[in-house]
Amino acid sequence: MLIGNKRRIIYGGDYFPEQWPEETWQEDIRLMKQAHVNMVSLGIFSWALLQPDEDTFTFDWLDRIMDMLAANDIDVCLGTATAAQPNWLSRKYADILFVRENGQRVAYGSRQSYCVNSPNYRKAIHRLAEEMATHYKGHSALALWHINNEYANKNSMCFCENCEKAFQKWLREKYGTIENLNESWGTVFWSEIYRSWEEINTPQVSAGGRNGTKLLDYKRFLSESFLSLYQEEYNVIRAITPDVPVTTNFEADWGKFDHYKFRDYLDVASLNFYPDPGNPAAYKWSALRHSMIRSLLQKPFILMEQAASQVDWYPVNAIKPPDLMRLWSYQALAHGSDSVMFFQWRASKQGAEKYHSAMVPHYGEKSRVFREICALGEELAKLTDIAGSNVEAEVAILLDNDSWWSVDSPYGFGLKSLDNELFWMSNAQPFPSVLVSYFAELEYYYEAFHALNIPVDVIAVDYDFSKYKVVVAPLLHMVKPGFKQAVEEFVHRGGIFITTYFSGVIDENIAVFQKGYLGPLKEVLGVKVEEFNPLLPGASNVMNIGGKIEGFAATYGCTIWCDVAHATTAKTLATFAQGFYAGSPCLTENHFGEGKAYYIATRPDPEFMRDFVGYLAATRGIEAHELPQGVELVTRLRDNRKFHFYLNHAKEKRHVTLPHGRFLDLLSGENREGALTLDRYGVSILTEV
Ligand code: GLA
């Protein structure tokens, strides 16, 4: 990464010297040098120390540690400290604390307790950012700004009076007239008609199913509020220190706001990663999140946080056994990270996170974890060439936050329940099946490509996707203006487009398209859908291919859902074998200009996904690699040089056949040809010689 004009892999973590006496700082620097740390994140939760009261700012302690780090050639990613406001501020301005859906204002006593729309909070962060940027402008340690911390982590939904007023203003700007709003929200249903803007409350829990358009607009409004909150600090910092790059660290799960909207205000995208070491398939979870953050700016990203060993917030927090931390660090690098950073440098002695692992554990420098940290630092210091290289994908998956929020409850992901009462509580709006999840569908398609080691970009639905060979839009429930034209042009010019069941059902206001679902996608797909059949838990149907695609099995199973569709111009490649709609299409292919559009009316079993993705890769000339179970291959490129990362996520040795050619293993320094043996959790980075 060229941050600070240095080509290197960034190595370090969150550092909280304020939790320790200054004698410990000397020891920290010594250990950081030993571990090859070249950047630390400072100041993240230190607001109360930086501003002890409304009129006083004190940077002395931070100056001292910034100077010490500079003298030791360790860069600083400087946190603006705004994620945990001081007690005095919350007491003075009670409106800063956010209000939960049940109307309860949260008490002071944790972090992320602020309301995203509180004018007093916004004024305070603006001032703090201004003071910090002015104070540290030109400091030689300052390499990167880190605004706030994990937006929306705890406070994604607020229902306070400030939010209500701001929502009314937002709606007025969006709809212009109250009549327009009533029409767009369909308020004639259940007598919900609003006569003035002031009548519109926040969509808190009511007696039963709520107006989906109102819910979605509230979610969109809060999502935009987080962006404008970020801009509150970003604009000040940008103006004062125009040459210092700016980022904010996102959580790995993206449902709380639309992350892609930050695109124009990030110099580098950064993410926090906490896969569960207790889950053997965790690396698949990670691969998707790595692809998402890389795709946001379509360039290398920063792994801003991971755990050296266990976290403290899963129900049971599994340890990372020897070599797993190293393997997952390389997995992040493989997918486009230019850094390996941790939460946190030194394990806390007190406070809420004292049982969370760190680079320097409670046991100190003679520990297994610190030894592994030092060994990894030493390796990374030699891998400078990789920095700045990127993963190039020919396949894109489109992520649409509006479809996500319309399918899964916008108020709480994963809350859907088969229990009827819980269903009504957690589903702010009724939906045909709790078994359907937008994000799970997207994940399912991602995994099918990932299983064949085909790189995939996960981009927002409104990104330009014309350069890809294959574009997949799983469960694209909502189709917004402009998409029909973009997808038709893409296919017309030779692209492959794939979408699935229950897609093209609603417009941007959640109004259902008439005369056949798939709505604006009917022409490009050559299909229309008459009705849908959500399958009961455990029930399945059969996709009957019957020899229509060479190399495919005669039948495959399918679950969750069956659309009852009619092909218009599309060719039917498979039909359902069961139910009153047996014989109706479940897989279609439509020639449209130079390209083809596929529609899949159900959730096919993994065997179909494997064969279908393999078929797409073979027919479109996309490189695919079938490797032994648990082995992942990702390639990064820079200036025509390729870095092939082979990662063994299995607990046993794996043997891999290499493609033709001679390779240098950058980690072992050995030459490889023909085959490669990877130890349990082993890694090889091969480059052609
Ligand atoms: C998040 C936060 C960190 C820390 C870690 C613990 O990622 O950003 O401050 O709390 O979780 O896993």
Side-chain angles (χ1 to χ4, degrees):
M1 166 96 28
L2 298 178
I3 283 177
N5 283 329
K6 299 168 192 161
R7 186 174 298 285
R8 58 174 174 189
I9 301 295
I10 293 170
Y11 193 53
D14 285 11
Y15 179 34
F16 301 97
E18 65 272 30
Q19 294 176 13
W20 300 94
E22 294 202 17
E23 305 87 79
T24 311
W25 301 5
Q26 297 288 351
E27 184 182 288
D28 283 335
I29 302 275
R30 177 178 66 81
L31 295 179
M32 283 177 193
K33 300 301 282 180
Q34 198 176 317
H36 297 266
V37 163
N38 55 29
M39 189 186 280
V40 291
S41 301
L42 274 188
I44 299 175
F45 299 111
S46 63
W47 191 347
L49 286 182
L50 299 177
Q51 192 185 2
D53 61 55
E54 194 147 27
D55 303 311
T56 317
F57 289 89
T58 50
F59 294 108
D60 309 11
W61 67 273
L62 191 53
D63 288 350
R64 285 199 294 284
I65 189 68
M66 289 277 288
D67 293 348
M68 271 173 81
L69 290 162
N72 285 282
D73 212 16
I74 298 172
D75 283 344
V76 171
C77 163
L78 190 55
T80 58
T82 48
Q85 78 277 8
N87 198 355
W88 62 260
L89 190 71
S90 325
R91 286 192 174 274
K92 182 153 186 195
Y93 304 106
D95 71 324
I96 285 185
L97 296 166
F98 80 87
V99 172
R100 293 194 190 280
E101 200 188 347
N102 62 8
Q104 184 198 22
R105 195 176 284 283
V106 296
Y108 183 75
S110 188
R111 59 178 172 181
Q112 284 133 349
S113 60
Y114 62 83
C115 157
V116 61
N117 285 304
S118 158
N120 285 317
Y121 173 73
R122 284 182 174 230
K123 219 163 94 196
I125 59 166
H126 187 102
R127 185 152 170 230
L128 179 61
E130 194 165 39
E131 291 283 341
M132 284 189 89
T134 310
H135 190 83
Y136 289 108
K137 180 183 168 140
H139 195 291
S140 61
L142 175 60
L144 178 65
W145 282 109
H146 172 308
I147 293 184
N148 205 284
N149 193 72
E150 287 195 339
Y151 279 114
N153 179 315
K154 295 283 177 289
N155 51 353
S156 65
M157 304 297 288
C158 176
F159 299 86
C160 74
E161 279 178 17
N162 284 325
C163 284
E164 186 166 284
K165 276 196 211 100
F167 183 45
Q168 291 165 356
K169 183 164 171 274
W170 186 88
L171 292 170
R172 193 192 297 244
E173 276 158 22
K174 178 168 180 182
Y175 292 105
T177 66
I178 199 78
E179 292 73 27
N180 226 341
L181 174 135
N182 279 309
E183 199 178 315
S184 303
W185 282 13
T187 53
V188 70
F189 186 82
W190 284 353
S191 209
E192 197 192 343
I193 295 165
Y194 297 96
R195 303 288 176 200
S196 73
W197 302 105
E198 292 69 37
E199 271 184 12
I200 303 171
N201 57 346
T202 60
Q204 280 165 279
V205 72
S206 189
R210 284 171 268 174
N211 183 322
T213 323
K214 181 177 179 182
L215 290 167
L216 182 63
D217 266 348
Y218 198 59
K219 192 72 190 170
R220 286 164 167 162
F221 153 73
L222 287 175
S223 176
E224 286 180 24
S225 301
F226 279 104
L227 175 59
S228 77
L229 185 71
Y230 171 76
Q231 287 166 326
E232 200 81 57
E233 295 189 54
Y234 173 85
N235 292 338
V236 179
I237 284 171
R238 197 21 116 236
I240 301 174
T241 55
D243 301 329
V244 182
V246 184
T247 192
T248 180
N249 59 342
F250 290 139
E251 277 188 278
D253 283 318
W254 282 17
K256 291 174 186 155
F257 59 91
D258 188 344
H259 291 58
Y260 293 99
K261 293 278 182 339
F262 278 64
R263 184 187 191 188
D264 295 333
Y265 310 96
L266 293 169
D267 295 300
V268 57
S270 57
L271 202 72
N272 301 342
F273 265 92
Y274 295 99
D276 180 3
N279 171 11
Y283 73 99
K284 299 181 187 173
W285 179 97
S286 301
L288 169 58
R289 273 90 187 158
H290 289 311
S291 299
M292 284 160 62
I293 191 75
R294 184 193 65 238
S295 308
L296 198 149
L297 296 182
Q298 300 182 302
K299 63 179 197 188
F301 63 91
I302 288 185
L303 167 66
M304 188 63 95
E305 291 180 19
Q306 66 167 345
S309 187
Q310 71 268 62
V311 300
D312 59 354
W313 44 261
Y314 281 112
V316 176
N317 294 288
I319 206 165
K320 285 185 184 169
D323 298 326
L324 189 61
M325 180 275 290
R326 175 178 180 267
L327 171 67
W328 284 0
S329 301
Y330 280 115
Q331 190 192 15
L333 287 193
H335 282 273
S337 176
D338 270 0
S339 78
V340 175
M341 307 262 291
F342 297 83
F343 173 87
Q344 60 174 325
W345 165 250
R346 184 181 278 282
S348 296
K349 203 169 132 185
Q350 294 168 302
E353 300 190 296
K354 59 183 172 299
Y355 296 130
H356 196 290
S357 64
M359 299 167 83
V360 183
H362 295 138
Y363 195 80
E365 64 184 295
K366 302 257 178 294
S367 55
R368 167 188 76 89
V369 168
F370 190 65
R371 274 195 302 278
E372 287 190 33
I373 289 287
C374 291
L376 179 62
E378 197 174 333
E379 279 183 345
L380 295 179
K382 296 183 204 135
L383 295 176
T384 45
D385 280 2
I386 289 168
S389 61
N390 203 5
V391 175
E392 288 182 11
E394 294 179 306
V395 176
I397 291 187
L398 304 184
L399 189 155
D400 177 33
N401 269 85
D402 286 320
S403 289
W404 189 353
W405 292 330
S406 309
V407 172
D408 301 2
S409 164
Y411 280 19
F413 297 91
L415 281 178
K416 289 182 176 182
S417 170
L418 283 170
D419 175 297
N420 207 30
E421 196 162 334
L422 275 179
F423 169 81
W424 278 100
M425 275 167 58
S426 62
N427 277 269
Q429 51 172 326
F431 195 77
S433 169
V434 295
L435 302 183
V436 173
S437 152
Y438 175 82
F439 198 76
E441 205 62 27
L442 186 144
E443 209 153 23
Y444 193 64
Y445 276 78
Y446 179 88
E447 277 183 25
F449 286 92
H450 182 242
L452 288 178
N453 297 286
I454 298 173
V456 174
D457 281 350
V458 183
I459 54 174
V461 70
D462 57 355
Y463 275 31
D464 177 9
F465 50 79
S466 55
K467 70 168 186 189
Y468 297 96
K469 285 186 177 169
V470 173
V471 168
V472 192
L475 238 171
L476 189 66
H477 192 52
M478 177 182 291
V479 176
K480 284 171 276 200
F483 186 74
K484 173 183 166 72
Q485 196 192 351
V487 78
E488 286 185 356
E489 258 171 49
F490 167 72
V491 180
H492 207 265
R493 291 212 198 111
I496 299 291
F497 175 68
I498 299 153
T499 192
T500 70
Y501 68 89
F502 219 34
S503 293
V505 177
I506 53 174
D507 70 11
E508 72 278 18
N509 291 325
I510 316 211
V512 176
F513 293 117
Q514 302 298 295
K515 307 251 186 285
Y517 309 128
L518 291 177
L521 305 177
K522 279 187 291 209
E523 285 75 26
V524 75
L525 293 167
V527 188
K528 57 187 177 184
V529 175
E530 183 178 335
E531 57 183 317
F532 51 81
N533 181 25
L535 299 181
L536 292 172
S540 59
N541 204 320
V542 173
M543 299 173 75
N544 197 348
I545 304 265
K548 284 199 216 67
I549 323 174
E550 214 187 299
F552 277 49
T555 61
Y556 298 90
C558 59
T559 53
I560 296 188
W561 191 279
C562 299
D563 269 350
V564 183
H566 306 286
T568 52
T569 56
K571 188 161 120 196
T572 297
L573 296 181
T575 51
F576 286 117
Q578 296 169 3
F580 72 86
Y581 46 87
S584 81
C586 58
L587 170 68
T588 61
E589 176 190 73
N590 197 37
H591 287 256
F592 191 87
E594 302 288 302
K596 289 180 198 169
Y598 292 90
Y599 158 71
I600 302 172
T602 182
R603 157 68 83 85
D605 285 352
E607 295 73 27
F608 171 85
M609 298 300 284
R610 186 199 54 217
D611 291 349
F612 186 59
V613 169
Y615 166 80
L616 289 174
T619 51
R620 305 312 288 186
I622 296 169
E623 242 182 77
H625 302 268
E626 221 169 326
L627 296 173
Q629 192 270 322
V631 179
E632 185 185 12
L633 165 63
V634 194
T635 298
R636 288 181 70 159
L637 278 99
R638 183 166 71 80
D639 302 334
N640 291 325
R641 192 160 169 217
K642 291 185 180 169
F643 304 96
H644 307 287
F645 287 71
Y646 285 88
L647 307 146
N648 181 15
H649 298 280
K651 288 187 188 160
E652 305 81 32
K653 267 191 183 162
R654 292 282 189 253
H655 304 285
V656 175
T657 309
L658 293 177
H660 187 69
R662 289 188 60 222
F663 301 91
L664 170 69
D665 186 333
L666 295 181
L667 292 174
S668 70
E670 286 162 21
N671 282 328
R672 310 264 180 225
E673 207 173 342
L676 177 69
T677 299
L678 291 159
D679 284 338
R680 153 196 209 263
Y681 297 155
V683 182
S684 279
I685 308 174
L686 303 187
T687 175
E688 278 93 351
V689 285

